[in-house]
Amino acid sequence: MNDLAPGFAPNILDQDIQGILGRPLDRVDGPKKVSGNATYSYEYAGQGQVAYGFVVNATISNGRILSIDTEEASRLPGVLLVMTHLNAPRQGEYVTFYKIPSDQSQDSVARPYLSSNEVQYYGQPVAFVVAESFEQARDAASRVKVSYEQGHKPASRVKAEASQAFAPKTVRGFLVTDSIIGDFETAFAAAPIKVDATYETPFQHHHAIEPHSTMASWDGDAVTLHVAAQLPVECREMIAATLMIPKSKVRILCKFVGGGFGSKLRTESDAVLAALAARQLRRPVKTAFTRQQVFVNAAHRTESIQHVRLAADRDGRMTGLSHEVIEHTATFDEFAEQTADFGRHLYAAPNRVTTHRLVRLDLPMPGDMRAPGEAIGMLAFEQAMDELAYALDMDPIELRIRNEPAVHPETGKPFSTRHLVECYREGAARFGWDRRPSRPGTLRDGRWLVGYGMSAAIRTHFNRGAEARVRLAPDGNLTVETAMTDIGTGTYTVLTQIAAESMGLPTDRITVDIGDTNLPPAPGSGGSFGACSSGSGVYLACMALRNRMARAAGLNEEIAIKDGIVSAGDQKLAIDAFMARYAPAGLEAEGKEKPGKEAKDYSESSYGAHFAEVGVDIDSGEPRLRRMLGVYTAGRILNAKTARSQAIGGLIWGLGSALHEEGLVDDRFAKFVNNDLAGYHFPAHADAVNVDAMFLPELDDKTNPLKAKGVGELGICGSGAAVANAIYNACGVRVRSYPITLDKLILDPAFPSND
Ligand code: MOS
């Protein structure tokens, strides 16, 4: 399954000289992490004596602050500063979505805090208390007395506001809001087989193990922030814009980030408030959100209502598909999750409708959460495909294969690579799909009704530019430098592998230095673009370095290096001896990856197939996973272990979105109420049994020099629908409102009785 284009010259990575790229190398930062030597943002002691900040959150959903009484809080022992809108420094103005300059993003523009008496969501920061200790700051924060004037009765649910839905001008700035091709309504009316169903997905929250946290310290007019950031470059711009200081005066450090998943794409109030307070107090200030604060002070995922209609011939060829989404944004700004976008790339059908509508809710700004778009769009659409398969009395894999497009179904562009059918077939064979009962509710294992389900996986591949610098020291050790982040995904490890393979060096000669805006700019971690983008920069820097080595040795041809032995002309030298002879001061080179023309000429996505077997308790309706498998293709896999781990994480998250996750709002206050990790459910170990994932071998030479595509989010794209489909197969109940809890099953008249 090697898609090398005819005439394509294999590059050095294809030669597998060092035998390290793609292998399941253990994390190079693992020993640091397990020994407590990986330092996270909040753990930096700071120059001078650090002070602790604590955010005070609003307790109304909208309206204004009438008065803030900070007297008692200010008098408490240890309290250094109580910052409110009355005394906060002036900051850059909030830049709403349509005012963002074209070279900026929602993550890089000004986000002021404590800048007026206006309240726009429950939990909005209204004060920041800084004290000598965390306990003093938290205690004082609880004694800041705020009186409010409540504004209008809050809007807090998509369904209740659906009649007010509007079409955003664009989705995310890079996608069209509506894509309409052909005449769907006519095709639908004429179709002999159809599905017409509405699905609902709830508010979802994400919680990295490390909450959002910052340690800020100033040196004159320059600030350094240790901050839990996925995108250090954007974080720097956001801080500079908000604090109204030049970018050159801001340094972001994020050597270790304890999870991100989209939640740390945006820079939140922790960073802004810590920086402001540290400037005023002339000492370092650190702050971290509590778990409860993460629910309101960081991005959550939109609630959605998704209307899916499918039209098919009797032989299962779709004549039309329609996916109409309503979701929410905040009252004060716009964020439109690209929930229907994946459907533009996935199945063939001549008549097609994919649309996005928004309602405004009095909630915090929704935002990116693992696989924005696919994650919830596929929960709905891939269930609808399953419903169509039953309506046709056809195997759901066969249905998907019959609707597999030869070229991109909307643009007509060729696919860079697409081995989705191979994923279906390989997955079906490995999972034992032939044991799936074709009629629901017919397979029993004691009390358990057993069912099988599957779904497709697709995730758009994004190319981002990245720069990197490599330095080869006189002793033959290589340092890799790029402002990339490792949010737990394995960046340190895969960049080590790429550099080792590119340079013909053993991994113990490579040191990777990332997480610092003083290093060459890189796109950071997000949207599954991190490893491919930054890795390409590193590869190109290494190629430039090899050229410099050859030139230093006076050679025109390329040099060969393996295991640190350099073959130059007719001599063989250990790399340190080579450097002593030809480059005693060391050598340095830079690489710059820019997305090429291919990104425009080809449709580039990662693909896969998800399989789930569930049991549903015949007495209680309790659904439980029995096993789950994901089979994927994503170009070259850079590290078999870290890629598989990410895929498994995605599968488990898909399981959670199918069975557990649901953010609940108290409509009276527009307040998230199950705001801790006891009340907000997600899979525990006992829920996530027998979860496995694998990648089929593939090279995609249209994407980047690595021939790799994004893997990070692929596992959550559709996997929840495979669980939902397995539940239907087990018990014959179709639940279209996530999460699928036992009450929705047992109370359904279609649920089998135990007699
Ligand atoms: Mo991505 S939304 O940064 O997992």
Side-chain angles (χ1 to χ4, degrees), residues 64-244:
R64 60 193 184 102
I65 298 166
L66 294 176
S67 65
I68 296 196
D69 179 356
T70 59
E71 280 244 356
E72 186 194 351
S74 304
R75 278 204 311 266
L76 287 170
V79 172
L80 301 163
L81 171 67
V82 182
M83 193 184 282
T84 70
H85 70 280
L86 298 170
N87 62 356
R90 199 166 75 82
Q91 298 155 64
E93 250 181 71
Y94 189 105
V95 183
T96 50
F97 181 67
Y98 293 103
K99 299 224 169 90
I100 296 170
S102 61
D103 60 340
Q104 299 281 305
S105 80
Q106 224 157 1
D107 304 319
S108 67
V109 290
R111 293 285 178 259
Y113 288 91
L114 313 181
S115 55
S116 84
N117 68 345
E118 197 188 345
V119 176
Q120 296 167 309
Y121 57 91
Y122 196 109
Q124 177 183 317
V126 292
F128 188 60
V129 180
V130 186
E132 296 289 350
S133 75
F134 170 78
E135 291 76 10
Q136 288 170 330
R138 187 174 192 165
D139 178 43
S142 73
R143 297 170 199 243
V144 173
K145 297 181 197 77
V146 189
S147 72
Y148 300 97
E149 179 183 70
Q150 170 73 37
H152 55 264
K153 183 178 177 304
S156 62
R157 298 300 301 274
V158 171
K159 200 179 230 170
E161 308 303 319
S163 64
Q164 307 293 314
F166 66 95
K169 270 189 251 163
T170 160
V171 169
R172 311 299 302 269
F174 61 92
L175 296 170
V176 294
T177 304
D178 296 354
S179 176
I180 295 170
I181 292 173
D183 178 359
F184 174 79
E185 295 301 339
T186 303
F188 188 70
I193 309 288
K194 46 188 126 184
V195 168
D196 182 343
T198 299
Y199 304 83
E200 293 174 33
T201 67
F203 299 108
Q204 295 177 343
H205 296 277
H206 46 161
H207 283 264
I209 291 176
E210 178 202 27
H212 299 67
S213 50
T214 299
M215 216 267 331
S217 58
W218 289 79
D219 181 6
D221 60 354
V223 66
T224 298
L225 268 71
H226 292 272
V227 51
Q230 289 178 240
L231 312 176
V233 172
E234 274 87 343
C235 178
R236 173 161 78 162
E237 293 183 6
M238 181 276 194
I239 291 295
T242 306
L243 270 55
M244 301 192 296

Side-chain angles (χ1 to χ4, degrees), residues 20 201 232 234 236 272 387 508 550 653 661 685 723 726 744 747:
I20 186 68
T201 67
E234 274 87 343
R236 173 161 78 162
V272 173
E387 300 200 41
D508 60 9
W653 207 334
E661 286 190 63
H685 287 291
V723 173
K744 295 176 186 172
L747 295 176

Side-chain angles (χ1 to χ4, degrees), residues 443-450 616 618 626 754:
L443 185 62
R444 278 288 286 270
D445 175 10
R447 270 171 38 216
W448 298 100
L449 297 155
V450 177
V616 177
I618 184 103
R626 289 160 72 97
N754 190 14

